[in-house]
Amino acid sequence: MTPTPLARVKSRRVTQACDFCHRRGVKCREAPPSSESRGTCLTCIEYGQECTRKRQPKKRGTKPRSSPVRASPNRQTRSEPEPDLAAGPFDIVDPAMFFKTSAPSLGNRKTITTLLDVYLDTVHPSFPLFCEREIWVGWRDGSFPGNQSDYMSLMCMCALSAQHVVDGALFTDEVDSAESTTLAHDYLQEAVRRVPTGFEDPSMDLVRSYGFLALLGAQNGNHAMVHKYLGLYHGISAQLHLHDESRWPPDTTECDREVRRRLWWAMYRLEIHTACVLGNPIRCSESQCNVKYPCGLHHPAFIPGRDGQFEDWFAGWNSTTDLYRVLEHAILDFRSKRNAQTSIIGDHGRPSTTRIAERLSMIQRDLLPQFGMAWSRSSDSGRNRCGFQASNILCTIHLARMISSISGGNSIHSACETANDMISNLNAIPLEYVRAIGSPLVQQLAGVGHILVAVATRHRPSLDDYGLIKSVLTSIIEFLAQLKDYNKTASVAEGRLTNQLAGLDQAMLPNGTSDEIANGEATSTDAEVFSWSPFLDKVFPDASGGSSDIFSANLQAAFAWPYQSMIPEG
């Protein structure tokens, strides 16, 4: 039988973009009537996506202004009613279970909007785990979260942002921390309840959720939480082949590829950080991955105030990642020289201290000017994010220098010079950057102080050298004291280093004995509260190394970057 010709259908203009095109900000092209995939747009056909139009239409009229976190999320007003999770922008699979087991206040739209802004201002510049356009636009037009997986990652993001509010680790002063402690607890409980520990349904949202919870553990000093979710992250990333781009699905979109790259390198940096602070082994070596750096700008500018001259802040983020990759080798070199158990094939492939120093010098030399100074906070978020990168670069490069210097057996004077450079430049950075970066930066700075204490303990310095060590330790303690009202970790670290310095003072007195240092009696007993690689206390040689400083003059003398505390806008 000859098929009946299709009737001529008049083409109609697409009045509403499908969910896939809308999330990515691309034109939704209607498929021709003769197409076999009727009802599916051409973009979804090309990308192999399901073409849906499930999102709620935007409401007309002026949107109410977002309120600070302190506003009671249980209070409903005429201008901003409590969203119905069963039919509102969340589209949750089991809203009844959500209301039954969790605080309904978690769905307050104004509260979540404020926490989203906290994430974008404070967390995203260092750990960009989302595509900013998708989450910023999607949340405001109601397309995000669109399913259970989206909601899970949203709750994890809110838990981390709420913890930053509790700690005062914020880049802005406009968010009040009243009632935030309760919110932080509720969001964390909901996040933990929603995030599975099995890999039956692997997804990028699950990878992202593990990352957020590991970061939250690092922020509040919960080491068990860090290890738990970092371990889960390594498991799911191995199953999804996140470490090797060549094994990613062939239909991975440009945006999804960018997000995968961000997730991989952001979590790699957290892994290296915890290897320094907690002493855990490095489970994802940079030499064993095949993942390119994220490009940053993969969407047109879409947020007001994002048209500044320093929008491409990801170049600085990638430079910081370079430094973490060098830091990985500095840690391995440090451990291999101090561990009795050596590799079965010796030191094959291990970079020398000189090569590490040369690489640090090269990275510093190639930095773009906008990453050599931390400007004061401004309305240009691109410039602000460059300030975040400058702060992270400064702290990371000094930490790598410090570990490499000690590993190379350099003099006490060299170690103190490195630490003094670090604290001098940190003092020139606007406080809002240091405060916003939070516990990771505090832990690294306190770790430098702990290294100096270990050096003084094992090297038994002369009174002149000890005077230099004491001066640097005092500067570190004074810097941490500025942060103790904002950060619990800073408060604990400041107290511990103060006690350690007092013990060293007592041991260095003429009537003191060297046994007081050697036996560790000068150290504090609160190591369980704040610890910096406990193995450091056991690995320093008994005598001072007399080798010359292996760092180049460029890295040593020219490292005083021109940090500016005030740059006029415009």
Side-chain angles (χ1 to χ4, degrees):
M1 174 184 266
T2 304
T4 303
L6 292 174
R8 183 187 181 97
V9 180
K10 182 180 180 180
S11 61
R12 296 181 300 172
R13 183 173 65 89
V14 177
T15 58
Q16 182 186 25
C18 70
D19 299 335
F20 180 77
C21 293
H22 181 77
R23 284 197 299 269
R24 283 151 181 78
V26 298
K27 184 177 180 180
C28 189
R29 300 171 295 159
E30 183 180 19
S34 59
S35 172
E36 296 181 358
S37 302
R38 301 189 63 182
T40 301
C41 74
L42 289 176
T43 304
C44 289
I45 293 176
E46 292 173 356
Y47 284 94
Q49 299 290 326
E50 180 183 3
C51 191
T52 60
R53 289 178 171 84
K54 297 180 180 180
R55 73 180 188 281
Q56 296 294 319
K58 297 175 61 176
K59 294 183 179 180
R60 296 174 180 252
T62 304
K63 293 184 178 181
R65 297 175 61 186
S66 60
S67 66
V69 175
R70 67 175 178 178
S72 175
N74 292 315
R75 183 183 304 166
Q76 297 188 13
T77 63
R78 294 181 181 178
S79 61
E80 185 68 26
E82 185 82 335
D84 180 4
L85 298 185
F90 290 87
D91 192 21
I92 302 302
V93 176
D94 56 344
M97 181 183 298
F98 173 73
F99 281 115
K100 180 179 180 181
T101 60
S102 303
S105 61
L106 298 182
N108 183 277
R109 189 167 183 84
K110 292 189 291 185
T111 300
I112 294 179
T113 299
T114 302
L115 293 175
L116 174 58
D117 290 338
V118 169
Y119 163 75
L120 292 176
D121 288 339
T122 302
V123 180
H124 188 78
S126 298
F127 293 95
L129 305 189
F130 274 110
C131 167
E132 186 173 3
R133 180 186 178 92
E134 290 200 319
I135 187 174
W136 196 90
V137 175
W139 170 252
R140 281 159 175 77
D141 67 18
S143 62
F144 177 86
N147 52 45
Q148 181 80 10
S149 183
D150 284 347
Y151 174 74
M152 170 183 66
S153 60
L154 176 66
M155 289 295 102
C156 293
M157 183 274 292
C158 287
L160 177 59
S161 296
Q163 186 62 48
H164 272 263
V165 175
V166 172
D167 295 339
L170 300 169
F171 187 65
T172 177
D173 298 323
E174 298 176 358
V175 180
D176 199 310
S177 60
E179 301 183 16
S180 59
T181 301
T182 301
L183 281 174
H185 177 269
D186 290 343
Y187 277 117
L188 176 58
Q189 293 300 312
E190 176 67 2
V192 171
R193 187 177 75 87
R194 290 284 177 173
V195 175
T197 56
F199 305 153
E200 291 79 10
D201 187 19
S203 66
M204 285 300 106
D205 281 319
L206 185 57
V207 175
R208 182 184 293 115
S209 297
Y210 289 154
F212 274 129
L213 293 179
L215 284 170
L216 199 156
Q219 175 62 31
N220 61 20
N222 188 335
H223 300 167
M225 185 175 184
V226 175
H227 289 311
K228 174 181 177 179
Y229 288 104
L230 262 183
L232 289 170
Y233 159 78
H234 288 301
I236 191 68
S237 64
Q239 182 168 343
L240 294 173
H241 311 298
L242 196 59
H243 66 288
D244 187 356
E245 285 195 20
S246 66
R247 303 180 70 179
W248 293 354
D251 58 348
T252 303
T253 65
E254 178 185 356
C255 183
D256 292 339
R257 188 175 299 275
E258 172 75 7
V259 170
R260 285 171 178 255
R261 290 169 176 170
R262 295 183 183 188
L263 285 169
W264 170 261
W265 288 113
M267 296 306 295
Y268 167 81
R269 286 162 55 161
L270 181 61
E271 173 80 0
I272 302 304
H273 168 78
T274 57
C276 282
V277 176
L278 305 181
N280 56 266
I282 297 173
R283 291 161 286 190
C284 54
S285 174
E286 59 98 19
S287 61
Q288 298 180 22
C289 74
N290 176 31
V291 180
K292 295 180 180 179
Y293 280 175
C295 64
L297 285 176
H298 62 294
H299 289 301
F302 61 95
I303 296 180
R306 294 298 303 279
D307 54 353
Q309 60 176 325
F310 296 138
E311 175 60 23
D312 189 17
W313 55 274
F314 251 94
W317 194 87
N318 291 335
S319 294
T320 307
T321 303
D322 280 341
L323 291 172
Y324 272 95
R325 295 172 70 180
V326 177
L327 179 59
E328 173 194 335
H329 293 283
I331 294 171
L332 294 177
D333 180 61
F334 179 90
R335 292 177 177 176
S336 64
K337 289 181 178 179
R338 299 315 193 256
N339 288 340
Q341 181 67 35
T342 59
S343 170
I344 195 170
I345 57 173
D347 60 354
H348 176 71
R350 178 169 53 82
S352 66
T353 305
T354 303
R355 289 182 61 189
I356 291 173
E358 290 173 350
R359 187 61 180 174
L360 292 174
S361 297
M362 185 182 302
I363 294 173
Q364 181 208 346
R365 182 194 63 203
D366 295 339
L367 285 175
L368 297 175
Q370 61 264 37
F371 305 121
M373 59 184 66
W375 292 324
S376 60
R377 183 173 53 210
S378 73
S379 59
D380 185 341
S381 65
R383 190 172 73 173
N384 292 338
R385 291 178 177 184
C386 287
F388 273 95
Q389 310 320 311
S391 304
N392 283 323
I393 287 170
L394 171 71
C395 192
T396 308
I397 198 169
H398 277 302
L399 181 60
R401 289 176 64 200
M402 190 77 179
I403 294 178
S404 183
S405 178
I406 297 299
S407 178
N410 294 335
S411 65
I412 292 178
H413 186 272
S414 173
C416 289
E417 195 173 57
T418 300
N420 196 51
D421 283 347
M422 180 179 186
I423 196 65
S424 297
N425 284 281
L426 281 176
N427 274 317
I429 297 176
L431 184 60
E432 53 262 29
Y433 290 103
V434 180
R435 184 179 66 183
I437 294 173
S439 295
L441 186 145
V442 170
Q443 290 167 343
Q444 291 181 357
L445 178 60
V448 170
H450 187 76
I451 289 177
L452 290 177
V453 171
V455 169
T457 300
R458 302 303 175 188
H459 283 233
R460 302 179 184 179
S462 65
L463 289 178
D464 289 340
D465 285 341
Y466 177 69
L468 186 59
I469 292 176
K470 180 177 179 179
S471 175
V472 176
L473 284 174
T474 301
S475 298
I476 294 176
I477 291 171
E478 291 174 351
F479 185 84
L480 292 173
Q482 301 178 60
L483 304 175
K484 64 180 181 181
D485 291 337
Y486 307 107
N487 190 290
K488 178 183 176 182
T489 301
S491 178
V492 174
E494 186 247 358
R496 184 185 184 197
L497 286 176
T498 299
N499 291 338
Q500 289 177 326
L501 181 57
L504 288 174
D505 275 340
Q506 184 179 1
M508 291 299 296
L509 290 176
N511 57 352
T513 64
S514 58
D515 290 340
E516 290 177 295
I517 300 180
N519 293 333
E521 296 175 5
T523 60
S524 174
T525 59
D526 60 352
E528 294 300 322
V529 180
F530 180 89
S531 63
W532 169 274
S533 301
F535 63 84
L536 285 177
D537 290 330
K538 305 175 182 178
V539 298
F540 290 96
D542 293 333
S544 174
S547 59
S548 61
D549 188 3
I550 50 85
F551 290 104
S552 67
N554 180 48
L555 191 59
Q556 282 281 335
F559 202 78
W561 289 344
Y563 280 90
Q564 299 181 14
S565 59
M566 181 65 68
I567 297 291
E569 294 188 34

